[in-house]
Amino acid sequence: MHNPATTRPSFFAEVDILRRDDHRLYHQSRINQTLHLISACVFLVVYVWVWFEPAKASVLGWFGAMWVRQTGHFVFEPRGYDRIHGISNATKERIKVGFNVYRKCALIAVWALIPLLLWLDTTAFGLLAADSTWDVFVQRVGWAWLVLAGAGLLQRTVYLMVARGAQTGLAWLTKILTDPVHNVREYWRSPFYLLRGQLLEPLDTVADYRHHAPAN
């Protein structure tokens, strides 16, 4: 992976590096790739729908896209020693630029608490008007999840800008926001490989992935 101590690449080159590292180290499973393809298609719908019905689009994004995507990571992606890249999963988790497993678990925990809190107190501790209808509940949960998604992206972007420089933070944000388009382009063949019985993508040349970036 790219070492920040070396000469900094251009902005779009850094976006490509982040994409390449993410693919090679965290998307080796053809099942995971296929689930990312499904998730990406849903996210593209969300990207359009959010301009018209933000709350409902947020609910679809979290349930129809984010859960599908994270299931691929948590369930199907190999977790042991990565013999292809010569590093352990723990090492990959420490050097991941974006959300590693621990950060994802924290984000999901907050995500799960939001509807529970709104169910117990529909006024959100007096911040909202009292209303117990199902439609209003879904709307409020959707808006809260939309704010959570934005806050998560903003927090990680600002952290990376401070820790690694403005370009890295903005490159990561660009990479995340354009992932659905890139995933469709990258993984549209994955279901066909999966049907042929190929569970892991064959990765033979890994010379560019021997560099260990510093932990975040």
Side-chain angles (χ1 to χ4, degrees), residues 43 46-47 49-62 107 111 114 138-154:
F43 265 130
V46 170
Y47 277 11
W49 198 18
V50 74
W51 295 100
F52 304 97
E53 295 187 90
K56 292 180 180 179
S58 173
V59 173
L60 175 62
W62 279 99
L107 183 66
W111 172 86
I114 286 174
V138 172
Q139 284 283 332
R140 289 177 176 178
V141 169
W143 276 110
W145 282 348
L146 189 61
V147 171
L148 175 64
L153 288 175
L154 180 61

Side-chain angles (χ1 to χ4, degrees), residues 12 17 50 56 69 86 103 120 135-136 141 151 153 171 181-182 209 214:
F12 290 107
I17 289 170
V50 74
K56 292 180 180 179
R69 179 170 296 249
R103 298 182 194 117
L120 295 175
D135 287 343
V136 171
V141 169
L153 288 175
V181 174
H182 181 72
Y209 297 87

Side-chain angles (χ1 to χ4, degrees), residues 122-197:
T122 59
T123 69
F125 306 105
L127 295 175
L128 303 172
D131 196 320
S132 59
T133 64
W134 175 251
D135 287 343
V136 171
F137 174 75
V138 172
Q139 284 283 332
R140 289 177 176 178
V141 169
W143 276 110
W145 282 348
L146 189 61
V147 171
L148 175 64
L153 288 175
L154 180 61
Q155 184 276 332
R156 191 61 188 166
T157 299
V158 171
Y159 172 84
L160 290 173
M161 291 176 72
V162 173
R164 297 196 179 188
Q167 178 174 298
T168 296
L170 294 175
W172 175 80
L173 180 63
T174 301
K175 181 260 179 193
I176 289 296
L177 293 178
T178 58
D179 263 350
V181 174
H182 181 72
N183 288 165
V184 171
R185 184 178 63 186
E186 187 78 24
Y187 300 138
W188 70 270
R189 296 183 184 88
S190 297
F192 300 103
Y193 288 119
L194 192 58
L195 289 173
R196 288 160 51 183

